[in-house]
Amino acid sequence: MAADGDSADARGGVSVTLRFEDGAERRIVVAPGQFVLDAALAQGVPLIHQCRSGNCSTCVATLIEGESATAPGRPVALLASEAAAGRRLLCVSYAHAPSVIREHYPATPIDAAAAPRRFSATLGALARPNPKVAIFTLAVADETFAFASGQYVRIRIPHTDEWRSYSMASAAHELPAMTFIVKLIAGGAMSEYLLRAARPGDRLEIEGPRGAFVLRRSRGQHVFVAGGTGLAPILSMLDAIRRRPGMRPPMLPSFGCSRDAEFFARDEIELRRWWMPELRAILSAGRSDGADDGLRRGNPVDALDAARSTRPAPPPICAARPR
Ligand SMILES: Cc1cc2nc3c(=O)[nH]c(=O)nc-3n(C[C@H](O)[C@H](O)[C@H](O)COP(=O)(O)OP(=O)(O)OC[C@H]3O[C@@H](n4cnc5c(N)ncnc54)[C@H](O)[C@@H]3O)c2cc1C
Ligand code: FES
């Protein structure tokens, strides 16, 4: 049943029912021109979110009944096919009619359980696998710092009050060291620091851990889709699975970059294939510069669709071969 429009407030807001994975429901009123996420937070419903600008997909939910649409003209991190299937990024979506929206997590988000704290960290190795990507490590001295694969920290850009969020690419067993994979953006504040000023030994302030995009235990096939530096939390999750006792689930990461010349982390993925026979990787590039690179063409979602019907798995493309 759609939420009852009679419960909407006198300013013309509409009633939206948020239905959580554990069966709990919360009813909120969303005013005209107000985003669903803003309405929920203002009414004390702590929906999981991060960027609040349609870029990170953290607030994705599914419209079951009613009418909810993205604010016009906003570029959002959602495929047209996902929107057609009812997915909505609530931080940039209005409710135009009484609606029911499904959240893909229980009513008590993990963020509410532990408030993120601030820590000091030391910059270690800094590498550039290609001109658009930086990989660096941070060491956290405080032994109480812990995180789950898939979470992220905010890092303060040295000598500024600016913070940026980055997902850990390494798993918790590697603490106190953490690895990050960062896309370098011309003129970006953190990008410029990494490109021009960063030196091993720099002290950085971090805040976290944050985020609820974490691995849930299941024996079914684990499908991961990542583009560019979005690979970071996926690598962390794969490493966490590798360390678990008992049988591992089948894993199918699909990783792509926009061009083959920008493809990175191939050895890291192939190494995990050597370690874990349950892992079958799909590697893709949107465009080719002509080389026979062994990558599938297209984005990682299309490559995944094409490859899921292909059996057996293709042989490793660029394996780290033991001698
Ligand atoms: C939860 C979370 C986790 C994240 N994890 C990672 C991660 O693991 N690796 C990573 O590289 N980034 C990650 N990001 C993005 C990261 O926080 C920064 O936004 C990004 O690194 C840009 O920072 P900057 O200071 O270099 O650029 P800014 O100074 O913030 O931006 C400079 C300009 O670039 C534009 N811009 C920002 N991001 C992009 C982009 N992706 N592509 C094109 N233009 C852009 C801005 O609109 C602005 O005009 C994450 C973001 C969130 C919310
Ligand atoms: S919070 Fe990032 S897309 Fe909505």
Side-chain angles (χ1 to χ4, degrees), residues 7 15 24 43 56-57 72 75 106 147 170 184 189 201 228 234 244 267 275 303 315-316 318:
S7 63
S15 176
Q43 290 165 58
C56 71
S57 303
F147 70 92
S170 51
L184 297 170
I234 308 302
R244 276 184 191 164
D267 287 354
W275 288 335
C318 172

Side-chain angles (χ1 to χ4, degrees), residues 50-51 56 58 152 157 162 164-168 180-192 229-230 232-233:
Q50 288 168 6
C51 71
C56 71
T58 304
Y152 68 98
I157 302 166
E162 302 265 332
R164 297 290 183 272
S165 301
Y166 295 102
S167 306
M168 278 66 91
F180 298 89
I181 305 176
V182 175
K183 175 179 174 181
L184 297 170
I185 298 163
M190 180 61 93
S191 302
E192 290 296 319
T229 55

Side-chain angles (χ1 to χ4, degrees), residues 37 49-59 89-92:
L37 175 70
H49 64 280
Q50 288 168 6
C51 71
R52 296 181 82 160
S53 59
N55 288 306
C56 71
S57 303
T58 304
C59 65
L89 299 179
L90 299 188
C91 68
V92 289

Side-chain angles (χ1 to χ4, degrees), residues 4 14 28 40 59 66 82 113 127 130 139 149 207 222 234 237 240 282 291:
D4 182 357
V14 295
I28 58 169
C59 65
E82 293 173 317
N130 72 42
S149 286
E207 184 196 85
H222 287 38
I234 308 302
M237 289 178 179
I282 301 161

